Amino acid sequence: MQLSEGDDDPLGLHLAALAVLDDGGTVVGWSRRAQDLVGYPGPDVIGRAAFDVLVAAGDLAAVKDAAGRCRRTGGWFGVLALRHRSGHRVELGLRVSAISRGQVREWFLVGAPAAGVLEWQRDRAVLEGLYRRCPIGMVVHSPDMKILRVNRAIERFTGVPAADFRGMPTGVLLVPDDARKAADRVRQVIRTGKSLVYSEQFVRLEQDPARERVASVSSFAMKDPAGRILGVAEMIEDITERHRAQQRLALLAEASSRVGTALDVWQTAQELADVVVPHLADSASVDLMQRVTRGEELTPALAAPVVRVAATSIAAQRPAPGEPRGEPIEHEPDTPQGRCLADGLPVLEPVLLSDRVSLEPGGSAPELGAHSLIVVPLAARGLVLGVMSLWRSRRPDPFEADDLTLAHELASRAALAIDNARRFIQQQQTAFTLQSSLLPSAVPQQSAVEVAPRYLPAGAGSGLGGDWFDVIALSGARVALVIGDVVGRSLHAAAMMGRLRTAVHTLASLDLEPDEVLSRLDDLVNLLAAEQEAAGERPVVQQVVSATCLYAVYDPISRRCSAARAGHPPPVVTTPDGRASLLDLPASPPLGLGGLPFEAREFELAEGSLLTLYTNGLIGERTIDVDEGVARLCAALTRPSDPLQETCEAVVSALVPTRPADDVALVIARTRVLPEQDVASWQLSREAATASRARALVTDKLTEWGLEHLAFTTELIASELVTNAYRYAGDPMTLRLIRERSLVCEVSDGSHTSPHLRRARTTDEGGRGLFLVAQMAERWGTRYSRDGKTVWTEQPLHGDPG
């Protein structure tokens, strides 16, 4: 390609110095411009040898060398130093060519200052490079939107010779949508005259529309000296690989923020599928080992079914391809998914044949027309958790190696989040199993109250709570109702809850008053806190050193209830006529503050009353005020005659959201009264015949009750207990029989001395009474009150206790 000489060529004939030499080097022609540059007028140089006049001695060798090359090649171009008439050196750019006149050969010299010649040559070389050697495409458009010229890079890009572009319309060879955008860009530059720099455009050729490339286009207007637009030149750089690399980095960044937002296997898998569609694939599915979804352990040798836990498609975001979500599926060993599960290696099938499509889960591709497939393993900590499958159906370009690398990286990151979620599920299941084992599995059978308990754990991810409740049968047909809440949410809270519940059972067996029970619990909490502090565990966030508790004891014979609370919300009492209100129970500090007193209060409950115990999770939700929560609770408890399970449901519906932020423990008890005919009580005087009178009273009452088969053992028990009271205690002395689920015999006296069971020696005259009582009774024990103590026994109503 030969460029025409421009008007600004310093070696143009109208600008340059001209000279003619004969074949011997004599000057035979000299122009006025030559005189201006070198200083010699024509008469001074014409007819003289150029070497003698124009060349200094120091430059003679270089000039002769140039002359020799000129003779050999018939011409020469370069820079030489000539001697000015004043004696200084003048560097000129010279172009020498041979002129023949018949048999005579002469040399035509064209010269100009070297600086101007070199600058023009550089500009010429740049222009030549743009069209011939530049790797960036260049297109020149005319004002009427025709292509004037393209460079070799465009020729290589399109496969069309550069000469063939001349006169073609702007945007030629591109698919219509891309051609329209290209023409709009050129038209904008022509209209405004403003350049557009680094605008990105998709470039898809009509001859290969499946191959999508991206170009960075800079457009600028070409103007004449008057400012008129002569056309538009565009520099076009293929940035496809860079664009894809940026997209991959952006996708990785997006995945980092969107995948693994919760410790949930199903949600994490769906987040992964949603990230890759549509940025990387048109459809995606995630299949996990069934054991992963259950939070179970995996082993490399363990083959297990997989479950489709997530799927997404651009056709319909959800549901998506293949099997229904959550259903077990089976991948054949020769399918890409089967191979990936077996060896843990990614699979790339750029061209998905129709016979391979039929092997996909469900018998069809995720979307009709799927033509390319990637399957990557979801592997973490050396174990394959499942696979992710990606399909392309609408995007014409197939998957390539870089796409496989990106998919593998995304799957690896997501697999770690999924495995963390699996481990969390496993830990939660273990923790909840522990917590469930610490809570009562069933309410014990007793006559004092009808009970409906309810325990609602907090929403997923909130951790274990320390809420607990208990219903403990006590001696004398009484019952203890207990509810508590350990501060904090952790495995430590659940463990502390178990300790406190065990302690409450132990203290309840001693038949202590409610305030005394709380005082003992407070001592225990302080002791445990001291142990933690001594072991250096106090700074740990999960450590639990405080709890609240409410302890109430109800007697169905006297209808009296005694209760005390340690930092716990007061219970709600509903009268038989439906009036519900908070019980006025003295407030006391939570357990663990140490040394502060607890106060109990006794009150009477009519038969059929509701006593409702609860933890603060029921009324202390963030979305409602505590006073409003109490009002809602009371409103839900105004129907005391309804079945207790229905009442529980009403309370839960009114106060507990779908995913509570805190554990909720709820116990609703309906009071009962033991019939008068099932209780017999006698005041006994302190005299020698008291034991004989007690036996007679017992025999008569058991005969009246139809329990003659228990008369002998009960007579013996009553006689021994009364005799002990006669010997070691003072007045008053009371004998009481209670017929309920068992036969209870009680002897009360004014002494606080505890009876002890001991084994008498053969020579001892006494000491065998309590031993005989323990052998004949199913259970026996002692409870204390402010007025003295009561020794009690229980016998089954039917059968032999032994």
Side-chain angles (χ1 to χ4, degrees):
M1 181 186 296
Q2 195 65 265
L3 298 177
S4 60
E5 295 184 357
D7 292 341
D8 57 350
D9 184 357
L11 295 181
L13 297 180
H14 62 291
L15 296 176
L18 307 178
V20 179
L21 305 181
D22 62 15
D23 202 36
T26 301
V27 179
V28 296
W30 193 257
S31 71
R32 179 60 182 268
R33 179 58 175 162
Q35 177 181 332
D36 294 339
L37 291 177
V38 185
Y40 292 99
D44 290 350
V45 295
I46 292 177
R48 299 177 62 181
F51 289 167
D52 297 338
V53 181
L54 302 176
V55 181
D59 299 318
L60 185 60
V63 173
K64 287 184 176 181
D65 179 67
R69 283 186 286 171
C70 184
R71 289 181 180 278
R72 289 192 299 270
T73 60
W76 181 85
F77 173 78
V79 176
L80 289 177
L82 300 183
R83 183 174 57 194
H84 194 273
R85 183 177 183 181
S86 62
H88 65 272
R89 299 170 75 248
V90 178
E91 288 189 344
L92 297 179
L94 296 175
R95 181 188 297 150
V96 183
S97 55
I99 302 174
S100 298
R101 296 180 181 178
Q103 298 299 321
V104 178
R105 185 175 64 173
E106 294 180 330
W107 301 94
F108 182 60
L109 283 67
V110 181
V117 172
L118 291 176
E119 182 179 0
W120 184 84
Q121 284 297 115
R122 282 193 296 268
D123 292 344
R124 184 182 180 88
V126 169
L127 186 61
E128 184 76 10
L130 285 175
Y131 282 101
R132 288 182 176 273
R133 290 174 291 278
C134 181
I136 299 176
M138 182 174 181
V139 182
V140 179
H141 306 271
S142 66
D144 58 352
M145 305 293 290
K146 294 292 192 297
I147 296 176
L148 297 176
R149 194 170 187 177
V150 300
N151 66 353
R152 294 287 177 82
I154 297 295
E155 181 180 284
R156 291 190 296 270
F157 186 78
T158 61
V160 178
D164 294 350
F165 277 91
R166 188 179 297 273
M168 288 184 175
T170 297
V172 70
L173 305 183
L174 301 180
V175 297
D177 187 52
D178 293 347
R180 177 183 54 79
K181 293 178 181 177
D184 289 345
R185 184 177 57 252
V186 173
R187 190 176 293 110
Q188 179 180 348
V189 175
I190 293 175
R191 185 179 68 254
T192 64
K194 296 181 179 179
S195 301
L196 296 177
V197 181
Y198 299 133
S199 60
E200 290 188 2
Q201 180 180 343
F202 288 102
V203 179
R204 292 167 293 175
L205 299 177
E206 284 188 324
Q207 62 189 19
D208 188 14
R211 184 181 180 189
E212 187 176 73
R213 288 177 283 191
V214 182
S216 174
V217 184
S218 295
S219 309
F220 59 92
M222 299 181 297
K223 301 179 181 180
D224 63 11
R228 291 175 300 180
I229 294 178
L230 303 176
V232 173
E234 291 187 314
M235 307 300 294
I236 303 173
E237 181 182 4
D238 186 353
I239 60 169
T240 303
E241 292 305 318
R242 186 171 69 198
H243 179 78
R244 290 178 179 174
Q246 291 174 344
Q247 283 188 318
R248 293 184 183 108
L249 289 175
L251 186 56
L252 285 173
E254 182 180 3
S256 298
S257 62
R258 289 182 55 187
V259 178
T261 59
L263 287 171
D264 183 275
V265 168
W266 297 81
Q267 181 177 337
T268 302
Q270 188 62 57
E271 289 169 348
L272 174 61
D274 291 341
V275 161
V276 297
V277 176
H279 302 294
L280 182 59
D282 296 329
S283 301
S285 67
V286 178
D287 303 330
L288 296 178
M289 297 289 188
Q290 197 169 41
R291 296 177 67 87
V292 174
T293 64
R294 297 172 179 171
E296 299 173 0
E297 285 291 344
L298 294 176
T299 59
L302 182 62
V306 296
V307 176
R308 179 144 297 172
V309 296
T312 301
S313 172
I314 58 174
Q317 286 297 312
R318 292 180 196 149
E323 296 293 319
R325 186 178 186 265
E327 291 295 325
I329 58 179
E330 202 170 314
H331 292 294
E332 296 297 329
D334 60 338
T335 61
Q337 288 84 356
R339 299 200 307 271
C340 186
L341 284 170
D343 55 29
L345 298 177
V347 177
L348 170 62
E349 293 199 0
V351 179
L352 188 63
L353 303 178
S354 58
D355 59 341
R356 300 301 297 169
V357 171
S358 63
L359 295 175
E360 298 302 327
S364 63
E367 188 177 341
L368 295 178
H371 60 80
S372 192
L373 170 67
I374 280 179
V375 182
V376 290
L378 292 161
R381 300 179 175 97
L383 295 174
V384 176
L385 311 179
V387 293
M388 177 175 68
S389 304
L390 306 178
W391 290 271
R392 278 187 180 172
S393 54
R394 297 193 179 184
R395 291 177 61 170
D397 51 318
F399 287 118
E400 53 190 34
D402 287 341
D403 297 321
L404 181 66
T405 302
L406 175 61
H408 199 189
E409 176 65 22
L410 290 171
S412 298
R413 296 187 181 190
L416 190 59
I418 290 173
D419 194 48
N420 288 339
R422 177 191 67 81
R423 292 185 170 201
F424 176 74
I425 293 173
Q426 186 181 50
Q427 292 176 356
Q428 286 292 92
Q429 289 174 345
T430 301
F432 282 123
T433 300
L434 170 63
Q435 186 181 37
S436 299
S437 67
L438 296 175
L439 290 171
S441 57
V443 176
Q445 296 294 326
Q446 37 75 41
S447 304
V449 291
E450 176 190 358
V451 179
R454 183 66 60 89
Y455 179 82
L456 301 172
S462 299
L464 285 179
D467 294 22
W468 93 93
F469 64 89
D470 240 321
V471 179
I472 305 173
L474 302 177
S475 63
R478 297 169 306 130
V479 66
L481 302 175
V482 191
I483 197 162
D485 184 2
V486 176
V487 175
R489 299 197 54 80
S490 65
L491 192 60
H492 296 278
M496 174 65 85
M497 175 265 285
R499 288 178 170 184
L500 292 182
R501 181 169 179 258
T502 302
V504 168
H505 268 268
T506 302
L507 295 173
S509 67
L510 300 177
D511 270 324
L512 300 176
E513 294 294 327
D515 54 342
E516 182 64 21
V517 170
L518 295 182
S519 295
R520 302 286 181 90
L521 285 179
D522 185 56
D523 293 340
L524 174 63
V525 172
N526 288 325
L527 176 62
L528 294 175
E531 290 178 354
Q532 293 176 3
E533 186 173 7
E537 297 178 346
R538 192 60 175 261
V540 180
V541 175
Q542 293 90 343
Q543 295 305 309
V544 179
V545 292
S546 182
T548 66
C549 184
L550 188 150
Y551 189 91
V553 176
Y554 173 69
D555 187 343
I557 298 175
S558 65
R559 295 187 291 109
R560 304 292 297 177
C561 181
S562 177
R565 63 186 179 115
H568 204 84
V572 173
V573 173
T574 305
T575 60
D577 59 1
R579 290 180 288 111
S581 61
L582 288 179
L583 183 65
D584 184 15
L585 199 61
S588 299
L591 303 174
L593 296 186
L596 297 176
F598 300 95
E599 183 180 353
R601 179 165 294 176
E602 190 173 83
F603 50 94
E604 185 173 318
L605 293 176
E607 183 177 7
S609 300
L610 296 186
L611 183 63
T612 302
L613 284 64
Y614 53 91
T615 55
N616 59 7
L618 184 69
I619 60 171
E621 283 290 334
R622 301 174 185 174
T623 55
I624 60 175
D625 180 72
V626 173
D627 292 338
E628 181 184 351
V630 171
R632 290 187 190 179
L633 176 59
C634 292
L637 293 170
T638 56
R639 300 171 63 90
S641 60
D642 285 356
L644 290 187
Q645 293 297 337
E646 293 183 8
T647 305
C648 275
E649 289 297 331
V651 170
V652 170
S653 299
L655 290 158
V656 182
T658 305
R659 298 172 67 89
D662 193 8
D663 289 8
V664 174
L666 172 67
V667 177
I668 302 179
R670 180 184 289 124
T671 60
R672 296 168 175 164
V673 174
L674 208 62
E676 292 183 2
Q677 60 269 24
D678 288 337
V679 180
S681 179
W682 303 275
Q683 292 286 336
L684 300 177
S685 59
R686 192 170 181 272
E687 56 187 28
T690 300
S692 174
R693 182 167 181 266
R695 288 194 296 271
L697 292 172
V698 167
T699 300
D700 292 343
K701 180 54 68 174
L702 292 182
T703 301
E704 178 185 338
W705 285 346
L707 299 176
E708 295 89 345
H709 61 285
L710 296 178
F712 175 76
T713 57
T714 309
E715 282 182 18
L716 181 57
I717 290 171
S719 177
E720 291 296 336
L721 296 181
V722 168
T723 299
N724 280 344
Y726 172 77
R727 288 180 177 179
Y728 305 113
D731 293 332
M733 187 188 309
T734 304
L735 170 64
R736 186 167 72 166
L737 293 180
I738 303 172
R739 180 182 62 175
E740 48 138 12
R741 298 181 184 276
S742 61
L743 177 63
V744 179
C745 178
E746 297 180 344
V747 174
S748 303
D749 58 54
S751 171
H752 288 87
T753 303
S754 174
H756 294 286
L757 180 67
R758 65 185 179 90
R759 186 177 296 275
R761 294 188 297 257
T762 56
T763 57
D764 291 342
E765 295 183 1
R768 297 177 180 84
L770 281 181
F771 181 78
L772 292 175
V773 168
Q775 295 298 311
M776 293 181 179
E778 185 177 50
R779 292 197 311 144
W780 77 281
T782 306
R783 67 174 181 268
Y784 298 89
S785 65
R786 293 177 176 84
D787 300 326
K789 70 175 182 296
T790 300
V791 182
W792 56 268
T793 65
E794 289 183 3
Q795 303 174 77
L797 295 180
H798 305 285
D800 186 355

